[in-house]
Amino acid sequence: MTHEVFNQPPPLTGHDVAEDAALLAAADREGAGWAAGDLHRLGKLAGTEQAQRWAEEANRFEPRLLTHDRYGHRLDEVDFHPSWHHLMDVAVTEGLAGAAWADERSGAHVARAAGFFVWSQVEAGHACPISMTYAVVPALRQNPGLAAVYEPLLTSRVYDPGLRTPTGKRGLLAGMGMTEKQGGSDVRANTTTATPGPDGTWTLRGHKWFTSAPMCDLFLVLAQAPGGLSCFLVPRVLPDGTRNVFRIQRLKDKLGNRSNASSEPEFDGTTAWLVGAEGQGVRTIIEMVATTRLDCVIGSASGMRAALVQAVHHARHRSAFGGPLIAKPAMRNVLADLAIESEAATALAMRLAGAVDRGEDLFRRLAIPAAKFWVCKRQPAVVGEALECLGGNGYVEDSGLPRLYRDAPLNSIWEGSGNVQALDVLRALNRSPDSGEAFLAEVDVASGADRRLDAAVADLRDQLADHTDLEVRARRVVERMALVLQGSLLVRHAPAAVADAFCASRLGGDWGHTFGTLPAGVDTEAILSRAAPA
């Protein structure tokens, strides 16, 4: 033996992922303090070696497309590793899919968001079908007949995989198919057609370009009906037990999100049911889109927290240049900067979940796309910096950081990329000025508490009032909206050290262009004490 292994951090296992001061305080503040016991139970499972093994295996053994059986019959199925099913089973059983819609307790959606935040730190890919199942319920309610049949199964806590007659299963999963190869986010350019039948069903013909989780039981899709672009429910298996036409042409070879299958399905005589009014497809499905955008924010906040915890754990157990790495001023500045970013994202994500519970539709109309624009864009930068904190150790697959890094850009792309979110905010401001007032009213709750926040809010009001080249300035305006909302939340609810550092750097301009450039005098000890894994 040529050497002895020393000065290497121990594996980060056996901890409670839910032992997160920012998350627990936000969950309690937003009305789900009663769920703390369930969160800790889930957090302890998330911190086990077993859960980490499920995550690793679900990504190493990727989904496999089965187009035909040995005799040539079409299957159009995707085979997943057992670890994928373990992850899914926990998520559904813990109520992270559609269960919140059937839970009459105050704060049910906040509790679900907190659980989603905790469990997504284990593995992000399986969160996609979980999120879509959560998001489909409010959209499906626009057809009360379909909702009466399927909602009880979409809100079930039973994971029942496999393609069978939906009403014969104990629980259902849902997905959506909007984009096509020629249009992408411009869904009004879709060419898939819908033809009405005499029995109330419709027949679809066309293709979809990016339909994830194709083994879900039901899908909401957009197609061109005689009356315009409309929303339809497409089950994989019809009520009589026969397979619907859902020909999976291929699975996407993606940068990240490797555990989750994303497909290109073809419809050719596919049976569907209209959801919402004919010609109002975007208005109908936007309920699902808005809710999945919320989960993009929660998911990105979760990914930041996962990366931060890895970086802090490494620095606590690693020595360099004569002392513990976490004691080095430069490293403390980096870690504290990352911690502030993570805590701001967590506070904002949970505030949005609280808005769902309380029916704050005007506030959500602006806050969700603004938060998705900003928080999801911050995730790649945070994960990249956290990976660098581990040095070469963070660049190898065993650390788990490369998977976090590959997954990091995803939420900023799905459900509308940055420009789509920014322009959506401007469109909402124009169409519904009351939504702007609701947003500013939330920010103004912290008025007078911090001069830097007050100045930033005043600047935002000036920007919103100036309609010159507003589309050119869209990203700058929406970024400022997200930052002042985060600042308002932290000033009201976070420890003084966190709020002061955020306002000084993100709002006051005393900051560089990289993480680790917080101003001197920041209380890094107070900030990092909230970031360390228990």
Side-chain angles (χ1 to χ4, degrees), residues 189-515:
N190 285 6
T191 61
T192 297
T193 60
T195 304
D199 60 353
T201 64
W202 295 68
T203 300
L204 306 187
R205 188 171 189 276
H207 69 279
K208 293 296 171 184
W209 185 234
F210 221 110
T211 299
S212 290
M215 289 300 287
C216 286
D217 302 284
L218 311 169
F219 291 83
L220 287 191
V221 305
L222 295 178
Q224 299 286 359
L229 189 66
S230 305
C231 180
F232 296 90
L233 179 75
V234 174
R236 287 295 314 266
V237 179
L238 297 171
D240 64 3
T242 59
R243 295 284 182 99
N244 207 357
V245 180
F246 195 99
R247 296 177 184 145
I248 303 175
Q249 302 304 300
R250 63 173 176 169
L251 300 183
K252 298 289 193 180
D253 186 8
K254 297 173 294 186
L255 167 66
N257 197 246
R258 306 290 292 190
S259 67
N260 177 37
S262 299
S263 69
E264 297 173 23
E266 181 182 79
F267 304 142
D268 189 8
T270 301
T271 301
W273 283 261
L274 182 67
V275 179
E278 184 179 352
Q280 299 296 315
V282 173
R283 179 173 296 178
T284 300
I285 207 169
I286 200 65
E287 288 287 342
M288 186 174 186
V289 172
T291 310
T292 50
R293 285 176 176 176
L294 166 61
D295 274 2
C296 286
V297 178
I298 300 170
S300 285
S302 173
M304 290 187 213
R305 173 67 184 176
L308 169 67
V309 167
Q310 289 282 356
V312 173
H313 175 74
H314 178 86
R316 288 171 71 187
H317 294 277
R318 181 82 161 179
S319 293
F321 307 111
L325 189 57
I326 199 166
K328 304 300 181 182
M331 179 58 76
R332 293 181 70 80
N333 197 314
V334 170
L335 293 174
D337 215 350
L338 293 174
I340 291 166
E341 196 75 37
S342 173
E343 186 152 343
T346 301
L348 179 51
M350 297 305 293
R351 175 63 183 90
L352 296 177
V356 175
D357 262 316
R358 293 185 289 273
E360 299 173 64
D361 294 341
L362 286 174
F363 171 68
R364 287 192 301 133
R365 181 63 188 90
L366 289 187
I368 287 180
K372 183 186 181 300
F373 170 83
W374 180 244
V375 173
C376 296
K377 285 199 172 300
R378 301 303 290 159
Q379 186 184 2
V382 167
V383 176
E385 193 69 58
L387 185 155
E388 189 175 328
C389 289
L390 275 68
N393 288 343
Y395 200 67
V396 296
E397 289 292 336
D398 291 351
S399 71
L401 269 299
R403 187 176 76 239
L404 287 178
Y405 192 63
R406 288 191 296 270
D407 287 345
L410 179 61
N411 286 327
S412 191
I413 297 170
W414 277 4
E415 312 312 331
S417 55
N419 284 347
V420 171
Q421 302 305 309
L423 295 174
D424 188 32
V425 170
L426 298 187
R427 186 163 49 249
L429 282 167
N430 182 57
R431 293 179 178 177
S432 175
D434 288 347
S435 63
E437 291 305 313
F439 181 92
L440 290 171
E442 171 68 21
V443 171
D444 284 343
V445 176
S447 179
D450 188 283
R451 59 177 176 76
R452 295 156 301 191
L453 174 61
D454 290 344
V457 175
D459 175 68
L460 173 62
R461 290 182 183 276
D462 290 342
Q463 291 192 45
L464 292 174
D466 180 6
H467 296 280
T468 306
D469 295 325
L470 192 55
E471 186 169 330
V472 175
R473 297 184 291 113
R475 285 190 172 216
R476 178 174 295 202
V477 171
V478 174
E479 176 183 310
R480 177 62 66 165
M481 290 177 68
L483 284 169
V484 299
L485 181 53
Q486 287 182 322
S488 176
L489 290 168
L490 293 181
V491 165
R492 282 180 275 159
H493 305 301
V498 174
D500 180 68
F502 182 91
C503 290
S505 56
R506 276 68 172 172
L507 302 179
D510 194 357
W511 199 31
H513 294 286
T514 63
F515 288 107

Side-chain angles (χ1 to χ4, degrees), residues 517-534:
T517 55
L518 293 173
V522 165
D523 189 350
T524 58
E525 179 61 33
I527 296 168
L528 291 176
S529 67
R530 296 166 60 81

